Amino acid sequence: MAKDMTEAELDARHAEKMRKKKAARDKIIATKTIEKGLLIVHTGKGKGKSTAAFGMVLRAIGHGQQVAIVQFVKGKWETGERVVLERFADQVTIRTMGEGFTWETQDRKRDVAAAGAAWEAAKALIRADRHKLVLLDELNIVLRYGYVDIKEVVAFLRDEKPADMNVIVTGRNAADELIEAADLVTSMEMVKHPFRSGVKAQAGIEF
């Protein structure tokens, strides 16, 4: 048993176990030869969908890549990430197209128009093929309300997205069609949230 082994024996066993794990991992990695741009979806009821996407934006910037961001909902919010990213104007293009959540505007026609304009901006950025990464933040929300046609979105991302471009779509309630078309889908699960205990949204955490 492990408790009866000497430190030297434990070290040797650990080294052998890790050697076998590395060999197995290297074998798996060697079979992954495809290079392509990905369609990535962050969805689910938990916090962190846009946060994770902006983490990828930061990573892309670190690699010297060009990034474009279209915000479908949070246009009126003064978010910390936007303030920071505006300092990288040579690498980052930001289009803040939304006017807030639909319950804030209380005007369906206005919401539909704003969503349509944001989608047109997104298509133009993707077609321009200048950016390695394009983030469509909260697109899932406007798709859920039917402000933009899901079939058009899926067809466009499938047929017109440049082969080496990565596109991230965020927002809860991702449509089944989008999930099916995506290469990578992550669903954030809410286990606990301070909002339910009366804690308001905080700068640096929520925005």
Side-chain angles (χ1 to χ4, degrees), residues 104-153:
E104 293 174 339
T105 64
Q106 300 174 17
D107 186 332
R108 183 179 177 278
K109 288 184 178 179
R110 183 172 160 186
D111 288 344
V112 171
W119 175 235
E120 290 302 317
K123 289 193 292 184
L125 286 166
I126 292 171
R127 283 175 174 146
D129 197 13
R130 289 185 50 247
H131 304 90
K132 178 65 176 177
L133 174 66
V134 177
L135 168 56
L136 307 180
D137 191 36
E138 305 288 11
L139 172 57
N140 284 333
I141 291 180
V142 301
L143 289 174
R144 178 190 181 193
Y145 284 108
Y147 296 165
V148 178
D149 182 53
I150 179 62
K151 292 182 180 179
E152 178 190 345
V153 169

Side-chain angles (χ1 to χ4, degrees), residues 36-96:
K36 59 172 289 190
L38 303 177
L39 174 55
I40 301 167
V41 175
H42 292 175
T43 192
K45 295 181 178 180
K47 173 177 167 49
K49 297 176 285 294
S50 294
T51 304
F54 279 106
M56 289 184 171
V57 166
L58 182 62
R59 183 175 291 162
I61 292 171
H63 284 288
Q65 297 174 2
Q66 293 290 316
V67 178
I69 300 163
V70 179
Q71 293 190 293
F72 281 77
V73 173
K74 299 172 184 171
K76 287 188 174 180
W77 291 19
E78 187 64 33
T79 60
E81 60 265 24
R82 192 184 308 156
V83 173
V84 171
L85 293 174
E86 285 173 349
R87 301 174 188 174
F88 295 87
D90 58 328
Q91 284 181 258
V92 182
T93 301
I94 304 177
R95 299 284 184 266
T96 54

Side-chain angles (χ1 to χ4, degrees), residues 139-185:
L139 172 57
N140 284 333
I141 291 180
V142 301
L143 289 174
R144 178 190 181 193
Y145 284 108
Y147 296 165
V148 178
D149 182 53
I150 179 62
K151 292 182 180 179
E152 178 190 345
V153 169
V154 170
F156 178 85
L157 294 175
R158 182 190 63 226
D159 301 333
E160 297 196 46
K161 180 183 79 65
D164 61 348
M165 178 184 290
N166 297 309
V167 173
I168 309 174
V169 177
T170 69
R172 61 172 60 194
N173 301 115
D176 291 340
E177 298 96 321
L178 184 62
I179 290 173
E180 178 65 25
D183 300 287
L184 172 61
V185 180

